Amino acid sequence: MKEIKLEVVFQVFENVSELPRDVIQLIENAKEARVKAYAPYSNFAVGAAILLENGEIVTGCNQENASYPSGLCAERTALYYAGAKYPKTKMLKMVIVAGSLKEETLQPIPPCGACRQAIAEYEVQQKSPIEIFFMGTSGKIIKSNALENLLPFIFDKSQL
Ligand code: THU
């Protein structure tokens, strides 16, 4: 028996002013998108903004459904829109702003497992990392240099 030890490094920013201007812009876009979330069942609203290599910013927000599993997370709403509209354009950065509609959320909210898998598909396909920044409705921002860091033992097309 041997052990596999994985070390992953994340960066924590105490507030928005520590971030580069393009990321601050993405946070604004994600916040604007979050306001449009359709989340009457969970009252938990999420906004996502993706910066593409061509300079375009694509946003999304969670879309819920009376048939709960039919809803979709903000990250995948943005991701699939970007994939549909700009199929060959690399995704550089994604910002996620998430939290309760009833109170402030200070804790950074990471993407769910299904969204990590969906983001991974594009990272593997484009052969370059997608930086992921996630936060609550305010407070600390956590940065992962690549989706890969959030999903050890990734399942991808190489295993098919
Ligand atoms: N949600 C997202 O939009 N992204 C995530 O990564 C986690 C969860 C949404 C789904 C649902 O509308 C609400 O948040 C509560 O789970």
Side-chain angles (χ1 to χ4, degrees):
M1 194 277 275
K2 66 171 187 161
E3 288 182 342
I4 298 172
K5 204 169 178 178
L6 301 173
E7 191 180 50
V8 187
V9 177
F10 298 99
Q11 289 174 306
V12 182
F13 299 87
E14 285 306 314
N15 58 61
V16 168
S17 64
E18 292 178 27
L19 290 160
R21 208 179 310 159
D22 63 344
V23 178
I24 295 174
Q25 177 61 54
L26 285 177
I27 290 175
E28 286 310 310
N29 295 119
K31 284 185 172 173
E32 278 169 27
R34 179 176 174 270
V35 173
K36 299 177 194 145
Y38 177 60
Y41 304 105
S42 71
N43 287 306
F44 192 84
V46 186
I50 303 171
L51 174 64
L52 304 178
E53 198 175 39
N54 63 6
E56 290 285 331
I57 294 171
V58 174
T59 62
C61 51
N62 51 329
Q63 300 294 316
E64 297 187 349
N65 192 283
S67 171
Y68 292 3
S70 300
L72 195 65
C73 291
E75 295 91 325
R76 277 176 285 165
T77 307
L79 206 59
Y80 295 152
Y81 182 53
K85 195 159 184 214
Y86 303 101
K88 301 240 158 61
T89 309
K90 283 188 181 180
M91 301 180 194
L92 304 181
K93 304 177 187 199
M94 176 186 269
V95 165
I96 304 153
V97 178
S100 166
L101 285 170
K102 297 185 168 162
E103 60 198 11
E104 213 181 3
T105 301
L106 293 171
Q107 185 196 346
I109 307 293
C112 78
C115 287
R116 294 180 201 202
Q117 181 68 31
I119 302 165
E121 182 70 25
Y122 294 92
E123 188 167 274
V124 169
Q125 186 202 316
Q126 71 184 29
K127 299 194 186 80
S128 63
I130 302 173
E131 293 180 358
I132 313 287
F133 297 80
F134 55 92
M135 62 183 293
T137 50
S138 57
K140 286 188 178 62
I141 301 106
I142 297 185
K143 176 187 179 189
S144 174
N145 287 329
L147 186 281
E148 194 181 18
N149 295 340
L150 290 165
L151 196 61
F153 292 103
I154 220 158
F155 175 77
D156 65 31
K157 62 182 177 177
S158 70
Q159 286 131 17
L160 292 175

